[in-house]
Amino acid sequence: QKGRPWMHESLIAHLDFPIYKLGEEVEAEKDSILKSYNPYFTYDNKVWDEVKPRLRDYLSRKYTNFLDKNENIKASLQPKEDMLIDSILNYFGRVYNKGVVEFPENISAKTIIIIRNSIADETDWGDYYTPKTAYRYIQNKISAFSKSVVINNETPLEFFIKELHFENFLKSNTFYEAVSSENASQELIKRISLTEGLIQRGERIILTGDIVNDQSYRILSSLKTESENRIGKIGNYYII
């Protein structure tokens, strides 16, 4: 056992053999890879193509209703309709162009691979949106725009903006690619080395009475594994 003296005969390596990593060490490396690798997502530009005309129609109808309810400022606000709607569409367009990414529950990577038109591009946090950050960006931009329109020392567009439900027009357009992501993670896992170092024939492994530490335990385990691989189980060495 680790931490106790080696009570068997002293061991000298009778063959060359690699020092194998312990199972828990290999598993820890796998877990580290799965937490840090860059998953794949596919960008779909058709989402914005579908949302844009619906959003334009929605804004136009809501603006008309707003003006009808505010006859006293209708004449002043009517000419600003195109500018307002174009600005809002522009903000949405920026968001959709960068990509709105919906992450699966088990993925929390900051850097991801986005495939656009068959081209894979590594994209860092801040260069894409989640539904939550997209909504925040659009709200802030439109709020700032509405405050810039002043009529009779008031900002009437702020009241209009409060009537809108932009969340209904924010959809993910960048989707998790399970197959590509799995292939990428498995390829990285295949590169994990199962060994670290080499013991050469004739090299001392452990002497009777030596304390079995982490390294000697790893070497003894590796000798047992290698011997079993080459000549079958050996009966004289006992690793507990």
Side-chain angles (χ1 to χ4, degrees), residues 51-105:
V51 170
K52 186 176 181 179
R54 288 198 300 109
L55 177 57
R56 181 186 291 278
D57 179 65
Y58 171 76
L59 292 171
S60 180
R61 286 187 290 104
K62 295 292 287 187
Y63 197 70
T64 298
N65 291 338
F66 178 75
L67 293 181
D68 289 342
K69 291 186 297 183
N70 294 273
E71 290 288 344
N72 58 318
I73 55 174
K74 183 173 183 178
S76 299
L77 286 180
Q78 189 110 45
K80 301 185 183 298
E81 178 177 355
D82 289 342
M83 180 178 66
L84 171 65
I85 293 177
D86 287 345
S87 296
I88 293 175
L89 291 175
N90 182 51
Y91 301 142
F92 269 85
R94 291 180 194 175
V95 165
Y96 277 106
N97 185 55
K98 274 193 172 185
V100 182
V101 181
E102 185 74 63
F103 282 92
E105 290 184 3

Side-chain angles (χ1 to χ4, degrees), residues 83-202:
M83 180 178 66
L84 171 65
I85 293 177
D86 287 345
S87 296
I88 293 175
L89 291 175
N90 182 51
Y91 301 142
F92 269 85
R94 291 180 194 175
V95 165
Y96 277 106
N97 185 55
K98 274 193 172 185
V100 182
V101 181
E102 185 74 63
F103 282 92
E105 290 184 3
N106 61 326
I107 300 294
S108 59
K110 299 296 185 182
T111 301
I112 62 177
I113 308 295
I114 297 180
I115 303 173
R116 297 172 184 252
N117 300 319
S118 301
I119 299 175
D121 182 39
E122 187 173 293
T123 308
D124 291 324
W125 176 260
D127 288 332
Y128 58 84
Y129 291 96
T130 63
K132 186 176 293 185
T133 60
Y135 181 79
R136 189 183 306 129
Y137 168 83
I138 287 173
Q139 279 290 93
N140 290 340
K141 284 292 187 180
I142 295 174
S143 177
F145 177 85
S146 67
K147 292 176 182 177
S148 70
V149 179
V150 180
I151 298 176
N152 298 329
N153 295 320
E154 294 184 351
T155 53
L157 287 183
E158 287 191 89
F159 298 101
F160 170 65
I161 296 303
K162 290 179 181 179
E163 296 181 1
L164 303 179
H165 295 281
F166 294 120
E167 67 275 11
N168 296 333
F169 299 91
L170 271 175
K171 299 170 60 177
S172 298
N173 70 338
T174 306
F175 305 99
Y176 179 61
E177 271 285 341
V179 173
S180 297
S181 297
E182 177 68 15
N183 290 341
S185 64
Q186 290 304 313
E187 188 60 36
L188 291 174
I189 288 174
K190 286 179 184 177
R191 298 178 191 176
I192 295 176
S193 174
L194 300 180
T195 65
E196 52 177 5
L198 177 71
I199 297 296
Q200 295 182 320
R201 182 176 182 177

Side-chain angles (χ1 to χ4, degrees), residues 17-20 22 199 203-206 213-225 239:
F17 65 92
I19 302 174
Y20 291 100
L22 299 177
I199 297 296
E203 189 173 339
R204 187 186 78 181
I205 296 175
I206 195 169
N213 57 27
D214 288 343
Q215 181 63 6
S216 57
Y217 180 82
R218 186 181 287 107
I219 293 172
L220 288 166
S221 297
S222 299
L223 174 61
K224 181 175 184 292
T225 297
I239 310 298

